[in-house]
Amino acid sequence: AQSVSQHNHHVILSEAASLELGCNYSYGGTVNLFWYVQYPGQHLQLLLKYFSGDPLVKGIKGFEAEFIKSKFSFNLRKPSVQWSDTAEYFCALLGDTGNQFYFGTGTSLTVIP
Amino acid sequence: DTGVSQNPRHKITKRGQNVTFRCDPISEHNRLYWYRQTLGQGPEFLTYFQNEAQLEKSRLLSDRFSAERPKGSFSTLEIQRTEQGDSAMYLCASSDSQRNEQYFGPGTRLTVT
């Protein structure tokens, strides 16, 4: 069975601090991995995705994520956060049918100006 | 705006009543998904359509829930005999066959009193 774990439920950072949000998945086959962001009052938006190839993927707004197969991880990083990055971040795994996303419980990020 | 739209945005209903939500996907997308999200959780998959065919349903989808996509365009999700436990945000997403990127709508927040 597929599942996604996000262990950081709530993260508080000051502006310009570096960010790393953890995401671990459980699945034995080929994986497609995603990070979505939900800004306050807005809908889920795709930040970045990994399908294959270079395990370091870059997304919008300066975010990047690294797929480490041996660790079953897909952590999200940003070298310097801004107040506008305050949002809920969700890691997701595309299941083996290719139709069903499995989401983690999300990490709430608060950036203090 | 050519994104995914959902109506209504908010619905308050009394226990035992039936409710219906509508989702209009991005026009060129042939795949449509419904998810449910409760507070502090990530979205949970409910069901999936490719064109007008409902190809996958989650075990979460009890027999009180029914979804349709009659012409392969918009979709409706109906909940019969609502229960307080049905209170949640109901999300719709769409994608095309070539790219496994789901684009989410703003959701319909259901409150059952």
Side-chain angles (χ1 to χ4, degrees):
Chain A
Q2 302 89 16
S3 66
V4 175
S5 299
Q6 292 181 247
H7 303 295
N8 312 107
H9 297 295
H10 196 178
V11 173
I12 302 173
L13 294 173
S14 298
E15 272 193 321
S18 63
L19 170 72
E20 181 161 3
L21 300 182
C23 173
N24 289 91
Y25 67 90
S26 173
Y27 183 65
T30 302
V31 293
N32 293 162
L33 294 160
F34 304 78
W35 275 97
Y36 279 83
V37 61
Q38 189 166 26
Y39 298 104
Q42 297 188 25
H43 57 276
L44 282 162
Q45 300 173 40
L46 180 66
L47 262 184
L48 49 79
K49 61 186 184 289
Y50 171 78
F51 286 171
S52 62
D54 189 343
L56 185 63
V57 293
K58 295 189 183 298
I60 61 172
K61 305 186 180 186
F63 287 90
E64 64 179 30
E66 185 175 13
F67 170 59
I68 303 179
K69 188 175 181 179
S70 60
K71 295 185 177 180
F72 297 90
S73 70
F74 189 58
N75 292 354
L76 181 71
R77 301 195 293 248
K78 185 171 184 179
S80 176
V81 294
Q82 301 172 317
W83 174 79
S84 58
D85 293 324
T86 295
E88 190 91 13
Y89 291 82
F90 294 93
C91 183
L93 165 71
L94 188 60
D96 54 6
T97 64
N99 302 323
Q100 183 177 155
F101 271 33
Y102 294 87
F103 281 86
T105 53
T107 297
S108 175
L109 172 65
T110 301
V111 180
I112 301 170
Chain B
D1 189 332
T2 57
V4 179
S5 62
Q6 293 186 246
N7 287 289
R9 297 290 305 274
H10 304 273
K11 179 71 176 178
I12 301 173
T13 191
K14 293 184 177 180
R15 189 176 53 189
Q17 297 296 305
N18 299 344
V19 293
T20 300
F21 311 138
R22 176 177 170 128
C23 170
D24 288 89
I26 293 171
S27 57
E28 59 267 29
H29 286 177
N30 62 343
R31 296 181 173 182
L32 187 146
Y33 312 79
W34 285 98
Y35 292 84
R36 180 171 64 190
Q37 186 177 18
T38 53
L39 198 62
Q41 300 295 319
E44 295 176 298
F45 171 81
L46 292 179
T47 190
Y48 154 70
F49 289 86
Q50 180 151 318
N51 300 312
E52 66 276 8
Q54 188 174 19
L55 298 184
E56 194 165 341
K57 292 197 300 184
S58 165
R59 286 186 291 272
L60 292 174
L61 210 63
S62 78
D63 56 6
R64 296 184 297 105
F65 288 69
S66 62
E68 294 182 342
R69 194 183 183 198
K71 297 182 180 179
S73 56
F74 73 91
S75 175
T76 58
L77 177 69
E78 181 183 16
I79 309 174
Q80 296 182 326
R81 305 181 303 282
T82 52
E83 302 172 356
Q84 286 188 319
D86 297 331
S87 295
M89 178 74 85
Y90 289 84
L91 299 170
C92 177
S94 70
S95 71
D96 63 34
S97 303
Q98 305 304 318
R99 300 166 62 182
N100 285 321
E101 297 177 11
Q102 295 188 14
Y103 292 84
F104 283 81
T108 295
R109 182 170 296 282
L110 173 66
T111 302
V112 182
T113 62

